[in-house]
Amino acid sequence: MSTTLSPTPRTQVSRGKNRAVPDRERLHAFLGDALLAHLGVTVGSGEDAHPVVLPTAYGFDLDGPDAGGSLYLHGSVAAGWLGRALERDVCVTITELDGLVAARSGFHHSMNYRSAVVIGRARLVEDPEEREHALALVVDQMIPGRWATLRPATRKELAATAVLALPLVEASMKERAEGPVDDPADIESATWAGVIPIHRVAGAPVTAEDSTAAVPEDVVRRAAGLAERSPR
Amino acid sequence: MSTTLSPTPRTQVSRGKNRAVPDRERLHAFLGDALLAHLGVTVGSGEDAHPVVLPTAYGFDLDGPDAGGSLYLHGSVAAGWLGRALERDVCVTITELDGLVAARSGFHHSMNYRSAVVIGRARLVEDPEEREHALALVVDQMIPGRWATLRPATRKELAATAVLALPLVEASMKERAEGPVDDPADIESATWAGVIPIHRVAGAPVTAEDSTAAVPEDVVRRAAGLAERSPR
């Protein structure tokens, strides 16, 4: 596999080129680190076409059958966006906010973040083995190791769940991870400049009222792992 | 102003209706609380039309000139998405992840979150006063009170910045804030079920190497406020 991303004109980062991260390994590390995706689907047609952007969980398999590896999404077979997501190209954007960048001027205020944009035609996953594997990856993206501790999915559950795969080939990644970049004329000003680091942390796991089991290792690890993530 | 949201068929929550939050005040509180938006823009035409979803800062003014109040975005006048965002309806989705929901079955795994979806035609803000007000709101969304401590924007900076306004009228909000909902048959299983609360925290402000000013109150407050946010 190529170690650099292959942006097409659609994913080519046109603004802030210095923020583009042309390194597949860093994209993969980021995909492993993040928790939430936003799926953009075009609905309507002609002049009425407009995007709908929905938050969603995701999983990914670099050895999946799609070019560049497979990004997996799932949803209810009854979801309104599902048919639309298969008819036209979609965009999946995964972003983690890492800091608030306070410059001397309003103009240079910014955010530190990592963001991956994947564009392509989604494939409805129909192979039973790949479907289960994809659902396991989505659950394990949230809590690594969790799927193996669960009972198998039932036929009814699988029938109610649609699994989509998006090739990771048409992908770009941007990262900003630095302090404010002020105009030289502003540096001497008395205005403070710097970064407020932002990161996600997990609180202690909250056991469901009707659950009598001890908190399992995978959940403890996930909570601790998020809590230990260092500020960027 | 109506205290309930007015979803059109486009923003009507079609899945998980029990998650829809038909309360304008809760939408407004959430908009005040969140930090990051995802802007969806349709690019291309006909069969080639596809969405591009980009992370962005935002601000909002409930008394803004648009129906329902104004959601403000800004960008470089040279940004490739800008023209597209004005030609067709866009979608802005703002999401905060609040927890990972571990059920007894993979099928019932979920996330706790708050998410607002706003669809509409963006307006290019041209009035100088509204432009500056909008930029102040975007900066103050990141660090409340910051704008008032900064030098005024220069003509050159303002000329380089495009400001867009989106009416907050066609908006919907969803929230999930509860424990796992398992099938009755699974409740007795030995599998742990519960929630790992997730929240954003701020680290201690990192002063830029070339900044000699003391950390100002607004920055201290923002860092402390994020850190104190209780897990949901």
Side-chain angles (χ1 to χ4, degrees):
Chain A
M1 182 182 300
S2 164
T3 57
T4 55
L5 302 180
S6 307
T8 66
R10 299 196 297 185
T11 53
Q12 180 75 54
V13 174
S14 55
R15 296 294 309 160
K17 280 197 168 54
N18 57 327
R19 311 262 180 253
V21 177
D23 183 323
R24 219 162 244 287
E25 281 179 17
R26 287 171 78 184
L27 171 71
H28 296 165
F30 173 58
L31 290 178
D33 206 29
L35 285 171
L36 186 70
H38 280 83
L39 166 68
V41 177
T42 302
V43 302
S45 58
E47 284 304 298
D48 291 331
H50 66 91
V52 171
V53 178
L54 299 169
T56 181
Y58 72 96
F60 69 105
D61 181 356
L62 300 181
D63 297 319
D66 302 291
S70 303
L71 183 72
Y72 289 115
L73 308 175
H74 74 319
S76 164
V77 292
W81 55 264
L82 188 65
R84 295 305 188 162
L86 292 166
E87 284 166 14
R88 300 181 186 173
D89 287 0
V90 299
C91 177
V92 175
T93 298
I94 297 166
T95 307
E96 291 288 328
L97 179 62
D98 296 324
L100 306 174
V101 182
R104 278 87 165 178
S105 63
F107 185 73
H108 285 296
H109 272 62
S110 187
M111 287 176 169
N112 281 340
Y113 65 94
R114 291 157 293 158
S115 187
V117 175
V118 184
I119 296 175
R121 186 62 59 102
R123 169 174 65 88
L124 184 67
V125 179
E126 297 183 286
D127 176 72
E129 243 176 74
E130 189 187 1
R131 276 166 56 81
E132 283 216 40
H133 180 56
L135 294 171
L137 290 169
V138 171
V139 166
D140 284 355
Q141 181 77 21
M142 287 195 269
I143 305 169
R146 178 76 179 162
W147 185 264
T149 70
L150 304 174
R151 66 159 172 75
T154 65
R155 238 184 242 204
K156 191 179 160 193
E157 287 171 348
L158 290 170
T161 307
V163 178
L164 303 186
L166 197 60
L168 277 169
V169 68
E170 196 177 341
S172 68
M173 183 171 169
K174 283 179 81 176
E175 176 166 7
R176 190 191 194 284
E178 59 181 346
V181 178
D182 271 302
D183 289 341
D186 288 331
I187 302 286
E188 297 300 316
S189 93
T191 306
W192 180 84
V195 175
I196 303 176
I198 303 283
H199 52 135
R200 292 194 200 278
V201 298
V206 179
T207 300
E209 281 179 24
D210 54 10
S211 176
T212 54
V215 182
E217 269 311 301
D218 55 345
V219 171
V220 171
R221 271 200 312 273
R222 172 46 110 180
L226 283 171
E228 282 164 12
R229 187 181 296 179
S230 58
R232 301 170 60 95
Chain B
M1 180 182 302
S2 163
T3 57
T4 53
L5 301 181
S6 307
T8 66
R10 299 196 296 185
T11 54
Q12 181 74 54
V13 174
S14 54
R15 293 297 306 161
K17 279 198 167 58
N18 58 327
R19 312 263 180 249
V21 178
D23 183 323
R24 219 162 242 289
E25 282 179 17
R26 287 172 77 186
L27 172 72
H28 298 164
F30 173 58
L31 291 178
D33 205 30
L35 286 169
L36 185 71
H38 279 83
L39 166 67
V41 177
T42 301
V43 303
S45 58
E47 284 302 298
D48 292 331
H50 67 92
V52 171
V53 179
L54 299 169
T56 180
Y58 72 95
F60 69 105
D61 181 357
L62 300 181
D63 298 319
D66 301 290
S70 303
L71 182 73
Y72 290 115
L73 307 175
H74 73 320
S76 164
V77 292
W81 55 264
L82 187 65
R84 294 304 186 162
L86 292 166
E87 284 166 13
R88 300 181 188 174
D89 287 0
V90 300
C91 177
V92 175
T93 299
I94 297 166
T95 308
E96 290 287 329
L97 179 61
D98 295 324
L100 306 174
V101 182
R104 278 86 164 178
S105 64
F107 186 73
H108 285 296
H109 273 62
S110 187
M111 287 176 170
N112 280 341
Y113 65 95
R114 291 158 293 158
S115 187
V117 174
V118 185
I119 296 175
R121 186 62 58 103
R123 168 174 67 86
L124 184 67
V125 179
E126 298 184 284
D127 176 72
E129 243 175 75
E130 190 188 359
R131 277 166 56 79
E132 283 215 43
H133 180 56
L135 294 171
L137 290 170
V138 172
V139 165
D140 284 354
Q141 180 77 21
M142 286 194 270
I143 305 170
R146 177 78 180 163
W147 184 265
T149 70
L150 304 174
R151 66 160 173 75
T154 66
R155 237 185 243 202
K156 192 179 159 194
E157 288 171 348
L158 290 170
T161 306
V163 178
L164 303 187
L166 196 61
L168 276 170
V169 69
E170 196 177 342
S172 68
M173 184 170 167
K174 282 178 82 176
E175 176 168 7
R176 189 192 196 284
E178 58 181 349
V181 179
D182 272 299
D183 290 340
D186 287 330
I187 302 285
E188 297 300 316
S189 92
T191 307
W192 180 85
V195 174
I196 303 176
I198 303 285
H199 52 135
R200 292 192 198 279
V201 299
V206 178
T207 300
E209 281 178 23
D210 55 10
S211 176
T212 54
V215 182
E217 268 311 301
D218 56 344
V219 172
V220 171
R221 272 200 311 273
R222 171 46 110 180
L226 283 172
E228 281 163 13
R229 186 180 298 181
S230 58
R232 299 171 60 95

